[in-house]
Amino acid sequence: MILGIGSDLCDIRRIERSIERFGDRFTHRIYTEGERARSDRRAARAPSYARRFAAKEACAKALGTGLSQGVFWRDMEVVNLPGGRPTLRLSGGALERLRGMTPQGYEPVIHVSLTDDPPLAQAFVVIEAIPLGETGALRRSPP
């Protein structure tokens, strides 16, 4: 069953300006250490950061909270599964919210789609609840 859906569109130039203006102050406020390491390895840093920014916004919408009610930027981390597929690892208030919205006897699966076509980056997040023991090939990293 679908628990939440979120989407976001982000202007890469806006993220690029924030990085230029605020540097580490911006990236450390919004992104986890793992996200910074992954984005900083890329030649095109701004699109990588913008995709992750859009994913966090989309996740907050799918959680139904936005960036409030104890959900913070670094509570949502874009990670890649071994095959490269993106997903989100949640912690703090985001994980609490996810647990609260997941029915008993179910486990959450977070689906993430990321893309960019400069100057825009886009993300879609779908949070699904699967009956315990039925995830099989859908299993993701722990939320």
Side-chain angles (χ1 to χ4, degrees):
M1 90 182 60
I2 303 297
L3 299 178
I5 299 173
S7 68
D8 191 67
L9 191 62
C10 178
D11 189 328
I12 296 168
R13 298 167 297 192
R14 181 174 145 235
I15 299 300
E16 190 168 39
R17 284 191 304 270
S18 293
I19 292 169
E20 288 170 0
R21 183 171 179 196
F22 302 108
D24 286 349
R25 194 167 127 216
F26 171 72
T27 58
H28 284 78
R29 179 174 177 249
I30 305 295
Y31 304 97
T32 66
E33 184 177 330
E35 290 171 316
R36 291 190 310 269
R38 189 166 182 96
S39 293
D40 287 343
R41 282 195 307 259
R42 299 192 177 275
R45 289 174 65 217
S48 178
Y49 276 119
R51 286 189 302 272
R52 285 164 175 72
F53 188 93
K56 291 167 182 274
E57 287 272 8
C59 181
K61 293 172 184 175
L63 289 170
T65 60
L67 288 158
S68 66
Q69 301 177 37
V71 175
F72 299 99
W73 290 108
R74 287 176 293 164
D75 290 347
M76 302 167 282
E77 180 179 21
V78 178
V79 295
N80 294 85
L81 297 172
R85 182 187 307 173
T87 190
L88 283 151
R89 179 181 302 133
L90 304 185
S91 62
L95 181 57
E96 285 180 38
R97 172 66 179 152
L98 179 65
R99 287 178 176 155
M101 63 192 288
T102 304
Q104 191 172 13
Y106 287 77
E107 65 179 312
V109 177
I110 302 174
H111 305 276
V112 178
S113 178
L114 304 172
T115 191
D116 68 80
D117 188 5
L120 300 174
Q122 186 174 36
F124 290 95
V125 172
V126 176
I127 301 174
E128 180 181 21
I130 304 287
L132 286 172
E134 291 186 21
T135 56
L138 291 175
R139 185 70 187 143
R140 300 274 191 265
S141 297

